[in-house]
Structure formats: structure tokens, C-alpha cells
Amino acid sequence: ISESEMNDENNALMFATEGGFIKTTLLSEFLSGRCPATGLIAIKLKDNDKLLSVKKVNITDKESTVINYTENGICNRFLVTDIPMIGRNGMGSAIFNSSTMIKNKLISCEVTTSESVSIIAVTKNGIGKASDINDFPIHSRRTKGFIGIQLAGKDKVISAVVVNKDD
């Protein structure tokens, strides 16, 4: 990342955790002049939570959306502009309401700037499902979400990725 991108107040890092928390932090908070040899705290994590994803985003892009998938097949899609801006030492805000995350974890957090993409979810039993991104309505954070893939028995989603329709 160039220094000019680091200083651009529209650029941020988006952090998502397996426990279902999300935040953005301005890139300028990570400038190398402020970074000691040991590094800087980037996100505060709850006990037993793990960092899942870090992506560079433009926090003013009203077309960019985030699609989230849990291991139980529940999804949520919202605008990047709806993600709270929280400093480096902050934990973030919930992606789903608390009932959605009981015995569940986030397995994918993807950013898309196009409506001409699909999301492919794959389960541990080898079942895959490709869906048009437009099948996932834009909601707000902290909702129950919606079913992205029906699971049988104890099957779980292990991966979900955004792909171009031409791929």
C-alpha cells in the first residue's frame, strides 16, 4: 500500500472475526512512523474469538457491499458505509443479532463492488451452491440474516467466496 493511500482518509482496513464482529479502521492509523518494532494493536478480540478477515476498503463507496456467511449457512449483506469506524484498539460491532451467532461462527466476509458476481458456498460434506449476488438483499447489520444454503444433518459451510460470473 502506498503512502498516499495510507494518508487518504477514504481508505480503511475492514476487520471481521469468527465471533461475528466487524469494524473499519483508517489506514492512516497504521502509518509506519507510528509503528514500533513490535507492531501496533490492530483489533481487540474477545476470549476465544479469532480474526477471520482483513480487507482494504473505501469507506465512502456507496456501491460496495459486504457479504457474510456463517458455518450454519446464514448470510447477511450490507453496505461498506454501514460498518462502524472504530480505532485500532476497538473490538468492532456485531454483524448479526446475538441469537444468530449462538453455536455458530463466521466463516466468510467478502467485499464486492459489482452486481455481476456470484457467491459460492461449499460444505464439509462436499455440497456446493452458487448464487447470484442479487439473490442476497442488502440489509443492515445486526439482523438475524437469511438462509444462504440449506444444510442437512450436521453439515457445515466451510468456505464461501465471491467470484466473477465470467470465471
Side-chain angles (χ1 to χ4, degrees):
I1 300 174
S2 72
E3 191 169 333
S4 64
E5 285 180 296
M6 293 287 287
N7 286 312
D8 185 340
E9 293 298 312
N10 294 326
N11 289 328
L13 291 178
M14 179 191 74
F15 297 86
T17 72
E18 286 183 356
F21 290 92
I22 195 165
K23 74 170 190 168
T24 55
T25 302
L26 288 175
L27 276 174
S28 59
E29 291 196 37
F30 297 96
L31 283 171
S32 61
R34 298 173 56 185
C35 186
T38 56
L40 293 170
I41 294 171
I43 186 171
K44 182 178 180 180
L45 296 171
K46 282 187 168 186
D47 290 342
N48 301 319
D49 199 359
K50 295 178 187 172
L51 185 60
L52 172 73
S53 175
V54 180
K55 310 249 188 226
K56 182 177 156 257
V57 295
N58 180 324
I59 57 173
T60 61
D61 184 353
K62 294 180 176 17
E63 301 297 316
S64 292
T65 62
V66 179
I67 181 88
N68 303 281
Y69 236 103
T70 71
E71 68 179 354
N72 291 341
I74 304 299
C75 298
N76 192 0
R77 182 178 178 215
F78 49 83
L79 295 171
V80 166
T81 55
D82 289 343
I83 304 170
M85 181 66 65
I86 298 176
R88 289 184 299 103
N89 200 29
M91 169 172 85
S93 182
I95 294 172
F96 295 96
N97 71 13
S98 57
S99 65
T100 300
M101 294 308 293
I102 296 172
K103 295 184 180 179
N104 202 358
K105 71 177 182 180
L106 193 67
I107 56 95
S108 179
C109 181
E110 297 282 329
V111 177
T112 180
T113 58
S114 171
E115 293 293 313
S116 61
V117 296
S118 295
I119 187 158
I120 299 174
V122 179
T123 72
K124 71 177 184 176
N125 290 343
I127 305 298
K129 178 182 177 187
S131 304
D132 187 285
I133 196 73
N134 295 307
D135 293 342
F136 298 87
I138 296 173
H139 290 287
S140 61
R141 288 178 307 101
R142 298 192 70 122
T143 64
K144 287 174 59 175
F146 48 89
I147 297 170
I149 186 171
Q150 287 280 358
L151 300 172
K154 294 184 179 185
D155 202 6
K156 300 283 185 189
V157 177
I158 59 167
S159 183
V161 296
V162 171
V163 296
N164 289 322
K165 289 182 180 177
D166 299 335
D167 292 346

mmCIF file of all heavy atoms in Angstrom, residues 24-53:
data_model
loop_
_atom_site.group_PDB
_atom_site.id
_atom_site.type_symbol
_atom_site.label_atom_id
_atom_site.label_comp_id
_atom_site.label_asym_id
_atom_site.label_seq_id
_atom_site.Cartn_x
_atom_site.Cartn_y
_atom_site.Cartn_z
ATOM 1 N N THR A 24 -14.149 -1.001 10.799
ATOM 2 C CA THR A 24 -13.172 -0.416 9.905
ATOM 3 C C THR A 24 -12.299 0.517 10.724
ATOM 4 O O THR A 24 -12.750 1.129 11.696
ATOM 5 C CB THR A 24 -13.819 0.373 8.737
ATOM 6 O OG1 THR A 24 -14.709 1.346 9.271
ATOM 7 C CG2 THR A 24 -14.547 -0.540 7.787
ATOM 8 N N THR A 25 -11.027 0.586 10.331
ATOM 9 C CA THR A 25 -10.063 1.492 10.961
ATOM 10 C C THR A 25 -9.293 2.168 9.844
ATOM 11 O O THR A 25 -8.838 1.505 8.909
ATOM 12 C CB THR A 25 -9.098 0.706 11.884
ATOM 13 O OG1 THR A 25 -9.861 0.020 12.876
ATOM 14 C CG2 THR A 25 -8.112 1.637 12.561
ATOM 15 N N LEU A 26 -9.163 3.489 9.927
ATOM 16 C CA LEU A 26 -8.450 4.226 8.889
ATOM 17 C C LEU A 26 -7.030 3.700 8.716
ATOM 18 O O LEU A 26 -6.346 3.400 9.699
ATOM 19 C CB LEU A 26 -8.393 5.719 9.226
ATOM 20 C CG LEU A 26 -9.701 6.493 9.106
ATOM 21 C CD1 LEU A 26 -9.506 7.928 9.591
ATOM 22 C CD2 LEU A 26 -10.207 6.479 7.666
ATOM 23 N N LEU A 27 -6.595 3.592 7.465
ATOM 24 C CA LEU A 27 -5.227 3.160 7.181
ATOM 25 C C LEU A 27 -4.200 4.090 7.820
ATOM 26 O O LEU A 27 -3.132 3.649 8.238
ATOM 27 C CB LEU A 27 -4.993 3.117 5.671
ATOM 28 C CG LEU A 27 -5.431 1.859 4.946
ATOM 29 C CD1 LEU A 27 -5.263 2.033 3.446
ATOM 30 C CD2 LEU A 27 -4.662 0.653 5.411
ATOM 31 N N SER A 28 -4.523 5.362 7.909
ATOM 32 C CA SER A 28 -3.579 6.325 8.470
ATOM 33 C C SER A 28 -3.207 6.003 9.920
ATOM 34 O O SER A 28 -2.157 6.415 10.398
ATOM 35 C CB SER A 28 -4.135 7.749 8.374
ATOM 36 O OG SER A 28 -5.359 7.856 9.074
ATOM 37 N N GLU A 29 -4.035 5.238 10.623
ATOM 38 C CA GLU A 29 -3.709 4.839 11.993
ATOM 39 C C GLU A 29 -2.575 3.810 12.033
ATOM 40 O O GLU A 29 -2.063 3.499 13.106
ATOM 41 C CB GLU A 29 -4.947 4.287 12.705
ATOM 42 C CG GLU A 29 -5.990 5.354 12.974
ATOM 43 C CD GLU A 29 -7.013 4.915 14.000
ATOM 44 O OE1 GLU A 29 -6.648 4.210 14.972
ATOM 45 O OE2 GLU A 29 -8.187 5.272 13.825
ATOM 46 N N PHE A 30 -2.192 3.287 10.873
ATOM 47 C CA PHE A 30 -1.128 2.276 10.808
ATOM 48 C C PHE A 30 0.131 2.794 10.113
ATOM 49 O O PHE A 30 0.973 2.004 9.703
ATOM 50 C CB PHE A 30 -1.639 1.027 10.080
ATOM 51 C CG PHE A 30 -2.771 0.353 10.784
ATOM 52 C CD1 PHE A 30 -4.087 0.620 10.426
ATOM 53 C CD2 PHE A 30 -2.533 -0.542 11.815
ATOM 54 C CE1 PHE A 30 -5.143 0.004 11.075
ATOM 55 C CE2 PHE A 30 -3.584 -1.158 12.472
ATOM 56 C CZ PHE A 30 -4.889 -0.889 12.100
ATOM 57 N N LEU A 31 0.260 4.092 9.963
ATOM 58 C CA LEU A 31 1.444 4.657 9.306
ATOM 59 C C LEU A 31 2.713 4.180 9.990
ATOM 60 O O LEU A 31 2.788 4.110 11.215
ATOM 61 C CB LEU A 31 1.383 6.183 9.295
ATOM 62 C CG LEU A 31 0.438 6.780 8.260
ATOM 63 C CD1 LEU A 31 0.269 8.272 8.472
ATOM 64 C CD2 LEU A 31 0.922 6.495 6.856
ATOM 65 N N SER A 32 3.721 3.850 9.189
ATOM 66 C CA SER A 32 4.956 3.246 9.711
ATOM 67 C C SER A 32 5.677 4.132 10.713
ATOM 68 O O SER A 32 6.351 3.631 11.604
ATOM 69 C CB SER A 32 5.883 2.883 8.557
ATOM 70 O OG SER A 32 6.226 4.044 7.837
ATOM 71 N N GLY A 33 5.563 5.441 10.610
ATOM 72 C CA GLY A 33 6.214 6.332 11.563
ATOM 73 C C GLY A 33 5.687 6.172 12.974
ATOM 74 O O GLY A 33 6.359 6.501 13.941
ATOM 75 N N ARG A 34 4.471 5.651 13.099
ATOM 76 C CA ARG A 34 3.856 5.458 14.410
ATOM 77 C C ARG A 34 4.004 4.025 14.893
ATOM 78 O O ARG A 34 3.542 3.683 15.966
ATOM 79 C CB ARG A 34 2.363 5.792 14.324
ATOM 80 C CG ARG A 34 2.109 7.225 13.939
ATOM 81 C CD ARG A 34 0.650 7.485 13.688
ATOM 82 N NE ARG A 34 -0.171 7.121 14.822
ATOM 83 C CZ ARG A 34 -1.489 7.163 14.832
ATOM 84 N NH1 ARG A 34 -2.139 7.567 13.772
ATOM 85 N NH2 ARG A 34 -2.175 6.807 15.891
ATOM 86 N N CYS A 35 4.634 3.173 14.093
ATOM 87 C CA CYS A 35 4.672 1.740 14.384
ATOM 88 C C CYS A 35 6.001 1.341 15.025
ATOM 89 O O CYS A 35 7.033 1.383 14.382
ATOM 90 C CB CYS A 35 4.461 0.959 13.088
ATOM 91 S SG CYS A 35 4.328 -0.811 13.325
ATOM 92 N N PRO A 36 5.991 0.939 16.293
ATOM 93 C CA PRO A 36 7.222 0.465 16.910
ATOM 94 C C PRO A 36 7.639 -0.878 16.299
ATOM 95 O O PRO A 36 6.879 -1.499 15.562
ATOM 96 C CB PRO A 36 6.840 0.308 18.383
ATOM 97 C CG PRO A 36 5.359 0.139 18.385
ATOM 98 C CD PRO A 36 4.843 0.889 17.188
ATOM 99 N N ALA A 37 8.838 -1.316 16.605
ATOM 100 C CA ALA A 37 9.370 -2.567 16.041
ATOM 101 C C ALA A 37 8.468 -3.762 16.336
ATOM 102 O O ALA A 37 8.424 -4.714 15.567
ATOM 103 C CB ALA A 37 10.777 -2.819 16.566
ATOM 104 N N THR A 38 7.748 -3.709 17.430
ATOM 105 C CA THR A 38 6.882 -4.835 17.804
ATOM 106 C C THR A 38 5.526 -4.787 17.124
ATOM 107 O O THR A 38 4.749 -5.715 17.233
ATOM 108 C CB THR A 38 6.669 -4.859 19.324
ATOM 109 O OG1 THR A 38 6.132 -3.595 19.728
ATOM 110 C CG2 THR A 38 7.963 -5.134 20.059
ATOM 111 N N GLY A 39 5.213 -3.705 16.408
ATOM 112 C CA GLY A 39 3.927 -3.575 15.743
ATOM 113 C C GLY A 39 2.921 -2.828 16.599
ATOM 114 O O GLY A 39 3.219 -2.387 17.708
ATOM 115 N N LEU A 40 1.728 -2.675 16.077
ATOM 116 C CA LEU A 40 0.651 -1.962 16.754
ATOM 117 C C LEU A 40 -0.538 -2.890 16.956
ATOM 118 O O LEU A 40 -0.755 -3.811 16.169
ATOM 119 C CB LEU A 40 0.187 -0.776 15.898
ATOM 120 C CG LEU A 40 1.163 0.368 15.690
ATOM 121 C CD1 LEU A 40 0.620 1.321 14.636
ATOM 122 C CD2 LEU A 40 1.389 1.104 16.986
ATOM 123 N N ILE A 41 -1.314 -2.613 17.974
ATOM 124 C CA ILE A 41 -2.571 -3.334 18.147
ATOM 125 C C ILE A 41 -3.490 -2.928 16.998
ATOM 126 O O ILE A 41 -3.649 -1.747 16.716
ATOM 127 C CB ILE A 41 -3.216 -3.004 19.502
ATOM 128 C CG1 ILE A 41 -2.344 -3.527 20.633
ATOM 129 C CG2 ILE A 41 -4.639 -3.540 19.584
ATOM 130 C CD1 ILE A 41 -2.777 -3.071 22.013
ATOM 131 N N ALA A 42 -4.067 -3.907 16.318
ATOM 132 C CA ALA A 42 -4.956 -3.626 15.190
ATOM 133 C C ALA A 42 -6.424 -3.833 15.549
ATOM 134 O O ALA A 42 -7.298 -3.158 15.027
ATOM 135 C CB ALA A 42 -4.597 -4.501 14.002
ATOM 136 N N ILE A 43 -6.700 -4.780 16.463
ATOM 137 C CA ILE A 43 -8.077 -5.082 16.859
ATOM 138 C C ILE A 43 -8.056 -5.759 18.220
ATOM 139 O O ILE A 43 -7.146 -6.527 18.539
ATOM 140 C CB ILE A 43 -8.794 -5.977 15.809
ATOM 141 C CG1 ILE A 43 -10.276 -6.178 16.150
ATOM 142 C CG2 ILE A 43 -8.058 -7.296 15.630
ATOM 143 C CD1 ILE A 43 -11.091 -6.851 15.055
ATOM 144 N N LYS A 44 -9.061 -5.470 19.004
ATOM 145 C CA LYS A 44 -9.231 -6.138 20.290
ATOM 146 C C LYS A 44 -10.154 -7.335 20.061
ATOM 147 O O LYS A 44 -11.184 -7.204 19.405
ATOM 148 C CB LYS A 44 -9.857 -5.173 21.300
ATOM 149 C CG LYS A 44 -10.041 -5.744 22.669
ATOM 150 C CD LYS A 44 -10.624 -4.694 23.598
ATOM 151 C CE LYS A 44 -10.814 -5.261 24.977
ATOM 152 N NZ LYS A 44 -11.370 -4.247 25.886
ATOM 153 N N LEU A 45 -9.768 -8.484 20.574
ATOM 154 C CA LEU A 45 -10.563 -9.703 20.397
ATOM 155 C C LEU A 45 -11.113 -10.181 21.733
ATOM 156 O O LEU A 45 -10.423 -10.112 22.753
ATOM 157 C CB LEU A 45 -9.708 -10.812 19.781
ATOM 158 C CG LEU A 45 -9.181 -10.559 18.372
ATOM 159 C CD1 LEU A 45 -8.182 -11.634 17.979
ATOM 160 C CD2 LEU A 45 -10.316 -10.493 17.376
ATOM 161 N N LYS A 46 -12.341 -10.693 21.714
ATOM 162 C CA LYS A 46 -12.902 -11.352 22.896
ATOM 163 C C LYS A 46 -12.177 -12.672 23.112
ATOM 164 O O LYS A 46 -11.585 -13.220 22.181
ATOM 165 C CB LYS A 46 -14.395 -11.648 22.691
ATOM 166 C CG LYS A 46 -15.304 -10.484 22.869
ATOM 167 C CD LYS A 46 -16.746 -10.960 22.819
ATOM 168 C CE LYS A 46 -17.678 -9.873 23.291
ATOM 169 N NZ LYS A 46 -19.055 -10.346 23.382
ATOM 170 N N ASP A 47 -12.250 -13.201 24.322
ATOM 171 C CA ASP A 47 -11.683 -14.524 24.586
ATOM 172 C C ASP A 47 -12.294 -15.533 23.614
ATOM 173 O O ASP A 47 -13.494 -15.493 23.334
ATOM 174 C CB ASP A 47 -11.979 -14.964 26.020
ATOM 175 C CG ASP A 47 -11.203 -14.149 27.049
ATOM 176 O OD1 ASP A 47 -10.215 -13.495 26.664
ATOM 177 O OD2 ASP A 47 -11.594 -14.154 28.221
ATOM 178 N N ASN A 48 -11.491 -16.417 23.085
ATOM 179 C CA ASN A 48 -11.893 -17.480 22.155
ATOM 180 C C ASN A 48 -12.343 -16.981 20.782
ATOM 181 O O ASN A 48 -12.851 -17.767 19.993
ATOM 182 C CB ASN A 48 -12.987 -18.376 22.772
ATOM 183 C CG ASN A 48 -12.515 -19.022 24.046
ATOM 184 O OD1 ASN A 48 -11.376 -19.469 24.149
ATOM 185 N ND2 ASN A 48 -13.382 -19.056 25.043
ATOM 186 N N ASP A 49 -12.207 -15.694 20.502
ATOM 187 C CA ASP A 49 -12.525 -15.184 19.163
ATOM 188 C C ASP A 49 -11.227 -15.121 18.362
ATOM 189 O O ASP A 49 -10.135 -15.026 18.917
ATOM 190 C CB ASP A 49 -13.166 -13.799 19.244
ATOM 191 C CG ASP A 49 -13.934 -13.422 17.984
ATOM 192 O OD1 ASP A 49 -13.966 -14.225 17.034
ATOM 193 O OD2 ASP A 49 -14.508 -12.311 17.947
ATOM 194 N N LYS A 50 -11.346 -15.202 17.038
ATOM 195 C CA LYS A 50 -10.184 -15.169 16.151
ATOM 196 C C LYS A 50 -10.457 -14.216 15.003
ATOM 197 O O LYS A 50 -11.586 -14.115 14.524
ATOM 198 C CB LYS A 50 -9.906 -16.556 15.568
ATOM 199 C CG LYS A 50 -9.502 -17.585 16.576
ATOM 200 C CD LYS A 50 -9.305 -18.932 15.901
ATOM 201 C CE LYS A 50 -9.057 -20.012 16.931
ATOM 202 N NZ LYS A 50 -9.057 -21.335 16.326
ATOM 203 N N LEU A 51 -9.399 -13.561 14.540
ATOM 204 C CA LEU A 51 -9.506 -12.706 13.370
ATOM 205 C C LEU A 51 -9.724 -13.585 12.138
ATOM 206 O O LEU A 51 -8.991 -14.544 11.922
ATOM 207 C CB LEU A 51 -8.238 -11.865 13.217
ATOM 208 C CG LEU A 51 -8.242 -10.823 12.113
ATOM 209 C CD1 LEU A 51 -9.355 -9.797 12.321
ATOM 210 C CD2 LEU A 51 -6.895 -10.129 12.046
ATOM 211 N N LEU A 52 -10.737 -13.286 11.356
ATOM 212 C CA LEU A 52 -11.068 -14.078 10.174
ATOM 213 C C LEU A 52 -10.582 -13.409 8.886
ATOM 214 O O LEU A 52 -10.051 -14.066 8.005
ATOM 215 C CB LEU A 52 -12.586 -14.276 10.088
ATOM 216 C CG LEU A 52 -13.112 -14.915 8.811
ATOM 217 C CD1 LEU A 52 -12.760 -16.399 8.792
ATOM 218 C CD2 LEU A 52 -14.609 -14.719 8.678
ATOM 219 N N SER A 53 -10.761 -12.101 8.786
ATOM 220 C CA SER A 53 -10.532 -11.433 7.518
ATOM 221 C C SER A 53 -10.107 -9.989 7.730
ATOM 222 O O SER A 53 -10.596 -9.320 8.630
ATOM 223 C CB SER A 53 -11.828 -11.471 6.709
ATOM 224 O OG SER A 53 -11.728 -10.751 5.520
#
